[in-house]
Amino acid sequence: MSKRILMVEDTEDNRQIVRDLIATTEYELIEAADGIAGVTAAAAQKPDLILMDIQLPMMDGYEATRHIKSNPALRHIPIIAVTSYALSGDEAKALAAGCDGYVAKPFSPRQLLATIREFLS
């Protein structure tokens, strides 16, 4: 069975980039456009990996990550923060919220894919 990736991202252009990237792999992509939908999708779909934007409507990525990581049934799912908040301290803040990895935007699709493969191997 192919591994499933949940992408929580509110910007259509960014979703399209990841969609095109994942289409070249064996992975299946699930999408959510805001933090609340991301938490709901994580619980319903139990993906193998989550790509979490930080600047999201309804609930930001830090809060969504904390919700997911506080659920014992979902705690094991690796979450990679994918964010344009590339200020110093942001990576530490993402990791403190429970993210397992961090990729700054704009990202190289090759770099993002390498990070995904690292967590899913």
Side-chain angles (χ1 to χ4, degrees):
M1 192 170 125
S2 66
K3 301 215 169 175
R4 295 182 310 159
I5 297 169
L6 168 61
M7 166 179 50
V8 187
E9 168 63 68
D10 61 324
T11 307
E12 175 58 34
D13 287 352
N14 292 337
R15 284 204 304 267
Q16 190 60 54
I17 291 167
V18 174
R19 232 180 255 137
D20 292 345
L21 179 67
I22 298 302
T24 68
T25 71
E26 66 280 13
Y27 305 128
E28 181 189 327
L29 188 65
I30 304 156
E31 297 179 33
D34 66 62
I36 292 173
V39 172
T40 304
Q45 304 281 336
K46 308 253 190 320
D48 298 289
L49 177 79
I50 299 171
L51 299 176
M52 181 70 74
D53 186 20
I54 296 301
Q55 289 177 280
L56 290 166
M58 315 295 272
M59 176 191 291
D60 72 23
Y62 297 126
E63 190 62 25
T65 295
R66 283 192 284 269
H67 273 277
I68 292 165
K69 290 294 187 176
S70 69
N71 181 333
L74 307 176
R75 189 175 292 143
H76 68 282
I77 302 170
I79 299 179
I80 301 172
V82 183
T83 180
S84 50
Y85 267 26
L87 304 169
S88 67
D90 283 330
E91 182 169 1
K93 192 173 172 186
L95 298 175
C99 291
D100 302 280
Y102 183 91
V103 175
K105 291 178 193 166
F107 53 79
S108 128
R110 188 177 292 139
Q111 178 211 4
L112 180 63
L113 196 54
T115 304
I116 289 170
R117 289 196 193 287
E118 192 181 306
F119 279 98
L120 290 180
S121 61

